[in-house]
Every structure is written in C-alpha cells, then in structure tokens.
Amino acid sequence: MSVYGYCRISTRKQSIERQIRNIKEKYPNATIIEEAYTGTKIVGREKWKNLLNRVKVNDTIVFDSVSRLSRDAEEGFELYERLFNKGVELVFLKEPHINTSTYREAVDNKLKVSVNTGDMATDELMDSIIQALNKYILSLAKTQIKLAFEQAEKEVKDLQQRTKEGIETARLAGKQIGQKKGNTFETKKSIKAKEEIRKYSKDFMGTLNDIEVMKLVGVSRNSYYKYKKEMSF
C-alpha cells in the first residue's frame, strides 16, 4: 500500500511548500508529487495522469484541499467516483468529511435489516422503506462530495471575477494596465541575445542573414524577430 501526496500550484512562481508541509505533517512517509499547472481541468497535467496510471487498490492519495484534485465540479466528482470504485483512498486535509473512507462507510453501513413478520404485505412495505433509506444515505454522501467540488469551482470563478473587476477599476482610474507600448522587459538571456544579434546580423553590424543568426544565437524565430523589433526602437 503506497501513500502519495499530490500538490499542485497554478504557476511556478507560487510556493508549493505549504501543501507539502501540511501533507507531510499528517503523512510523513508520503511520496510527494509536485505539479505546476494553470488550468482548471486535468488535461495537460502529466504528473497527475502518471499517478492515475500508477495507483492500485488500497493506495492512498492525499490532497491539501479538494481544489488540488480538480477545480471543475463535474470533472472532480467523476474523478472521485472513478478512484473510489478502483479501491483507492482519497484524503482531503481541509475537507475530511468527503474523504473516501467517509463515503465508503456510508456504503458499508447501509441499513441491513431483514424483516420477516409473516405478513407478506408488511414485509414488502418494510423492505421498500429500508431500500429507500439506503438510497437516501448514499444520496446524502454524494451530495456532500459534489458540494465540495462545486464550492472549489465557485471560488476560482469568484477570484477571476474579482481580478477582472480590479483591472477595470484600475483602468477607469487612469492606471497603466500591463506594460506600456514600446517598453520591453529585459532579462539576462534577452540582453545577451540582442548583443549577439547586433554583432552578427547584417541589419546591424554583422554580415549574417536572419536564419544564420537565429542558429548561431540559439533563439526561436518568434523571439528573434521580437528582439529585432525591440532593438529598432
């Protein structure tokens, strides 16, 4: 039985340490899987897909919160049931009420009452009542799980809306949004590339054509022409 801790951040600039720390505190022997991905769905999350193919019955996957599994309610619940049916335990540190152990307990502890009063009509009535109660118990468990994923999805949409409104408010207040036209963001890599382009390109101080300079400098076509454009200002 293996224990995995799945940690995900939206950009590589964010810190993933908090998630790792929270998981290791409860599961010190967990194998940590780290992934940086910006989308809400699992498409493109290669490390998550590899983990899905690796986990077996009785393995455990630990998440800091339900949003680390998925921030899309429909997909999140589908993943939950898929792993539950595979026999994989899911643990959500911030939402323990939807851990698969809780759901599994609801399934295992369904009312198991055998009614035999001797009266067929009474027995059939009681059996139908018991079956209805069993379905109700499972329905409650599923509802709690779906609500958790729906809340995670809502939080993402609310954040996106607040960001959009904040940008609009700043724009209306006359603040500069983004980089000013004509301004460039310089890095050590771009500075070095521009120096070499200026040295070797026949459009500046050199004798080589664009394709030759691109190969010599080792930059992509898009970056090359972007740098040349910036150097022309």
Side-chain angles (χ1 to χ4, degrees):
M1 295 184 292
S2 301
V3 178
Y4 301 95
Y6 181 75
C7 304
R8 179 174 61 81
I9 51 177
S10 299
T11 72
R12 296 193 183 279
K13 292 182 180 179
Q14 294 177 332
S15 174
I16 205 168
E17 294 305 316
R18 177 185 56 80
Q19 294 178 48
I20 297 174
R21 184 173 62 251
N22 291 344
I23 291 173
K24 282 292 190 178
E25 183 179 345
K26 299 290 185 181
Y27 297 86
N29 297 321
T31 299
I32 300 297
I33 310 296
E34 300 180 41
E35 188 153 53
Y37 183 68
T38 58
T40 59
K41 293 178 176 291
I42 66 165
V43 176
R45 286 162 55 183
E46 296 301 324
K47 291 186 178 181
W48 171 250
K49 287 192 288 186
N50 290 338
L51 180 57
L52 280 181
N53 294 329
R54 187 192 314 173
V55 289
K56 305 181 296 296
V57 176
N58 295 325
D59 283 350
T60 299
I61 306 177
V62 186
F63 305 86
D64 183 52
S65 69
V66 69
S67 63
R68 301 305 89 194
L69 171 57
S70 177
R71 292 182 295 181
D72 178 271
E74 183 177 349
E75 180 188 61
F77 184 68
E78 185 277 328
L79 276 170
Y80 184 103
E81 288 217 307
R82 173 181 165 188
L83 288 164
F84 174 84
N85 292 330
K86 189 175 181 178
V88 176
E89 294 294 334
L90 302 179
V91 175
F92 305 95
L93 298 181
K94 289 186 170 59
E95 302 91 0
H97 62 286
I98 64 163
N99 289 351
T100 48
S101 59
T102 303
Y103 188 20
R104 207 176 299 281
E105 184 178 353
V107 174
D108 294 340
N109 290 345
K110 292 190 302 181
L111 292 174
K112 298 177 182 179
V113 180
S114 177
V115 178
N116 186 7
T117 65
D119 181 81
M120 183 177 296
T122 301
D123 290 350
E124 289 179 352
L125 175 62
M126 293 301 296
D127 284 342
S128 65
I129 292 173
I130 291 169
Q131 289 178 16
L133 286 172
N134 286 341
K135 290 181 179 179
Y136 177 67
I137 291 171
L138 289 178
S139 177
L140 283 178
K142 286 185 176 181
T143 298
Q144 290 298 314
I145 296 165
K146 286 183 176 179
L147 283 174
F149 283 108
E150 287 170 359
Q151 179 61 30
E153 183 177 10
K154 180 179 181 299
E155 288 174 359
V156 172
K157 290 181 178 178
D158 287 348
L159 177 59
Q160 291 172 341
Q161 182 62 29
R162 289 196 300 272
T163 301
K164 181 179 178 181
E165 290 173 353
I167 292 173
E168 180 63 13
T169 299
R171 187 187 69 80
L172 292 174
K175 295 183 179 179
Q176 173 65 37
I177 306 300
Q179 185 171 290
K180 291 183 179 180
K181 187 175 181 180
N183 285 7
T184 59
F185 179 71
E186 298 284 7
T187 64
K188 288 183 179 179
K189 180 180 178 180
S190 68
I191 292 171
K192 185 175 185 298
K194 287 178 182 179
E195 289 175 351
E196 293 181 336
I197 291 171
R198 183 176 287 105
K199 179 179 178 181
Y200 296 112
S201 173
K202 64 181 180 181
D203 293 327
F204 297 98
M205 300 167 55
T207 59
L208 302 181
N209 62 35
D210 289 338
I211 294 177
E212 291 171 331
V213 177
M214 270 186 261
K215 290 181 179 179
L216 180 64
V217 177
V219 295
S220 68
R221 179 184 178 86
N222 288 342
S223 294
Y224 176 76
Y225 286 109
K226 175 175 176 286
Y227 293 157
K228 280 190 68 176
K229 183 178 179 182
E230 291 173 355
M231 291 162 63
S232 299
F233 289 137

